[in-house]
Amino acid sequence: FESKGVKFKGSVAVSEIQQGASGGLTAVLKSGDKLQCDAIVVGVGVIPNCSFVSGAEKGRDGSLVTDEFLQTTAEGLFAAGDLASYRSPRTGQQLRVEHWDVATSQGRVAAKGMLGKKESFDQTPFFWTSLFGKNLRYVGHCMQFDELLVDGDLSKLNFVAFYCHGKEVKAVATMGRDPVAVAAGELMRMGRMPSPDDLKAGRASPAGLAEELKRLSCA
């Protein structure tokens, strides 16, 4: 980003946004500094809007709690998308993922459930962004990690990073290695992702994940 002229200001807070007579914007920082802007993007997070729903269990964040089939505790009521805290069929953990791809996939699963064709939602969460011609992909769900394994060169933006916790790979981030992220997501879904010990010992490698997925799919 910095090589493209983007400047970062860390540990600062915006106290006010002013609009000038000509339409320009000014972001006033708590330090008193002022930043002249053509446009301002505000990222404030997402709060599940479930206040209109009653009779169904809700999480601490206000989301609707569902089982692995996306059914809530209220009979006949299903939930999908940002407002659904669903139970992972593989780990039993309640997850809530704020991403449109997950929401559309959950919508299909919820619709099948409404029609009496129950199907568990086991898709591995997947995120990506493309900036300045570089693709960053992240697959998995990792709230905390105790080990980070990196294959490749971070400075050259070509790498695979394995986020590990409790002897298990919880998530994978890649740049310049898109096929690795795709294979890792499917191996996680199948419960066949190599362990951190396998990766460190060379018994498994980022390049070999696609081959392992192909072998398992053909077995």
Side-chain angles (χ1 to χ4, degrees), residues 24-48:
L25 298 172
T26 300
V28 182
L29 307 183
K30 285 188 176 181
S31 64
D33 292 342
K34 295 184 178 182
L35 303 176
Q36 302 301 317
C37 312
D38 294 319
I40 295 176
V41 178
V42 180
V44 293
V46 176
I47 298 175

Side-chain angles (χ1 to χ4, degrees), residues 42 46 63 102 104 185 188 195 216:
V42 180
V46 176
S63 61
V102 170
T104 55
M188 288 180 190
S195 69
L216 292 171

Side-chain angles (χ1 to χ4, degrees), residues 15-184:
S15 61
E16 183 182 1
I17 296 176
Q18 302 173 343
Q19 184 167 15
S22 60
L25 298 172
T26 300
V28 182
L29 307 183
K30 285 188 176 181
S31 64
D33 292 342
K34 295 184 178 182
L35 303 176
Q36 302 301 317
C37 312
D38 294 319
I40 295 176
V41 178
V42 180
V44 293
V46 176
I47 298 175
N49 184 14
C50 304
S51 59
F52 64 96
V53 179
S54 61
E57 182 184 353
K58 296 181 181 180
R60 294 181 61 182
D61 59 0
S63 61
L64 293 173
V65 177
T66 81
D67 59 16
E68 61 270 33
F69 306 109
L70 303 181
Q71 182 166 352
T72 69
T73 54
E75 185 177 356
L77 180 63
F78 291 76
D82 293 0
L83 54 70
S85 289
Y86 68 96
R87 182 167 63 238
S88 167
R90 191 173 73 83
T91 66
Q93 195 179 12
Q94 294 294 139
L95 306 177
R96 187 172 73 84
V97 181
E98 300 172 359
H99 194 268
W100 66 266
D101 185 61
V102 170
T104 55
S105 297
Q106 286 183 341
R108 289 190 287 269
V109 172
K112 289 181 180 179
M114 295 174 197
L115 295 172
K117 302 176 181 179
K118 282 192 172 183
E119 179 181 296
S120 63
F121 181 74
D122 62 357
Q123 176 180 309
T124 306
F126 191 79
F127 305 85
W128 73 92
T129 186
S130 182
L131 297 166
F132 302 120
K134 299 292 184 179
N135 293 326
L136 173 63
R137 296 178 181 263
Y138 177 93
V139 60
H141 187 272
C142 185
M143 298 299 290
Q144 59 179 342
F145 59 94
D146 50 30
E147 189 172 17
L148 179 64
L149 305 178
V150 178
D151 178 85
D153 193 327
L154 293 174
S155 65
K156 293 182 179 179
L157 303 181
N158 189 304
F159 63 86
V160 178
F162 298 91
Y163 294 84
C164 313
H165 186 263
K167 300 296 183 179
E168 184 178 348
V169 175
K170 295 291 188 180
V172 176
T174 70
M175 287 197 79
R177 311 269 195 96
D178 291 359
V180 176
V182 175

